[in-house]
Amino acid sequence: MMLTPVQSAAYDVVFDDGRHDRAKIGYVLLATEQTIQDDVMALRPDGVGIHIARAAIPDSITSETLAAQADLLAQASATLLPDGTLDVVCYGCTSGSLVIGEPKVMVELNKGQPQARATSLITGVMRALRQVGAEKIVVGTPYLDEVNQREADYMAAAGFDILAIEGLNLEKDSDMVRVAPSFIRDFAISLDRQDADAVFISCGALRTLDVIGEIEAAIGKPAICSNQAMIWDTLRLAGIDDRFEGYGQLLAMH
């Protein structure tokens, strides 16, 4: 028996705004990164989409390997929602964004996402410090001394008074992600001094978000960490004003 093809009836498809009707945020992360994705998802407001891309890097965080990221940002950014609906795009590496420099980072991100508001992790950190009124800063990092010096110089050039910067002399990202939050808490508290307006713990790989509230409560002044500042910055750039308790005054009050 010969079957006669029958054209199916047309449907009037009903669309809505999808799950992420409030905002869509993209992060370009290091290939080695194991902390940021969890942190941004833990504080993802309903209706906000989180999109992740990776840029290749060896398990070695040095000035040289970070500088090489500059040539990878545009391509990685372009893989995030190619339909052009991304609202904000961020390079999620504190040390990488200061080694490359914010202007270059934003140009490269916008090559891949021209319609999105571009930012970087160091940009978010400095915006956060200004938001809480901090000018005199003590900084703790997991980095090598060569990266610490570049960070201190970069932030000083942006107008901050870096009273001290202390690093753990770790080179591998795979070591940075394993630093215990309890150690980070005690390390941060030990850095505080009377003349400091705030303590800043640098690096998205550190699990500082887990203990940032405890740090701030102990020192009695603002405590800022990389992922807390980045989440705050990208949400506010996307027009999302949700507040979060337990992660310091930045996310609770600003």
Side-chain angles (χ1 to χ4, degrees), residues 103-114:
K104 175 68 171 176
V105 166
M106 294 179 192
V107 166
E108 294 303 311
L109 292 176
N110 277 144
K111 286 179 181 178
Q113 295 289 335

Side-chain angles (χ1 to χ4, degrees), residues 126-137 160 196-198 222 224 249-250 254:
M126 294 193 295
R127 284 175 178 158
L129 288 167
R130 294 185 181 106
Q131 184 66 41
V132 299
E135 297 179 358
K136 297 180 179 181
I137 316 297
F160 294 96
D197 299 325
I224 300 296
Q249 64 173 270
L250 177 69
H254 298 284

Side-chain angles (χ1 to χ4, degrees), residues 22-160:
R22 297 178 68 198
K24 298 175 184 179
I25 302 172
Y27 298 93
V28 175
L29 307 181
L30 305 184
T32 53
E33 176 37 53
Q34 300 180 55
T35 305
I36 289 177
Q37 187 166 340
D38 286 346
D39 284 357
V40 296
M41 292 305 294
L43 297 184
R44 181 187 70 84
D46 288 343
V48 176
I50 302 299
H51 304 272
I52 303 293
R54 300 277 178 163
I57 191 171
D59 189 17
S60 174
I61 305 302
T62 67
S63 295
E64 182 180 2
T65 62
L66 293 168
Q69 289 265 293
D71 295 332
L72 307 176
L73 298 182
Q75 182 178 0
S77 178
T79 68
L80 295 162
L81 293 189
D83 64 350
T85 60
L86 200 69
D87 297 296
V88 174
V89 61
C90 177
Y91 178 42
C93 179
T94 320
S95 51
S97 51
L98 66 90
V99 167
I100 297 168
E102 295 162 273
K104 175 68 171 176
V105 166
M106 294 179 192
V107 166
E108 294 303 311
L109 292 176
N110 277 144
K111 286 179 181 178
Q113 295 289 335
Q115 81 296 333
R117 300 186 71 178
T119 187
S120 75
L121 214 162
I122 195 62
T123 307
V125 164
M126 294 193 295
R127 284 175 178 158
L129 288 167
R130 294 185 181 106
Q131 184 66 41
V132 299
E135 297 179 358
K136 297 180 179 181
I137 316 297
V138 291
V139 183
T141 88
Y143 309 136
L144 301 177
D145 288 343
E146 65 177 76
V147 179
N148 288 331
Q149 188 61 57
R150 294 189 72 153
E151 180 155 5
D153 292 345
Y154 194 92
M155 294 184 70
F160 294 96

Side-chain angles (χ1 to χ4, degrees), residues 152-171:
D153 292 345
Y154 194 92
M155 294 184 70
F160 294 96
D161 185 357
I162 305 302
L163 302 177
I165 185 165
E166 294 287 341
L168 302 178
N169 248 349
L170 302 178
E171 178 180 340

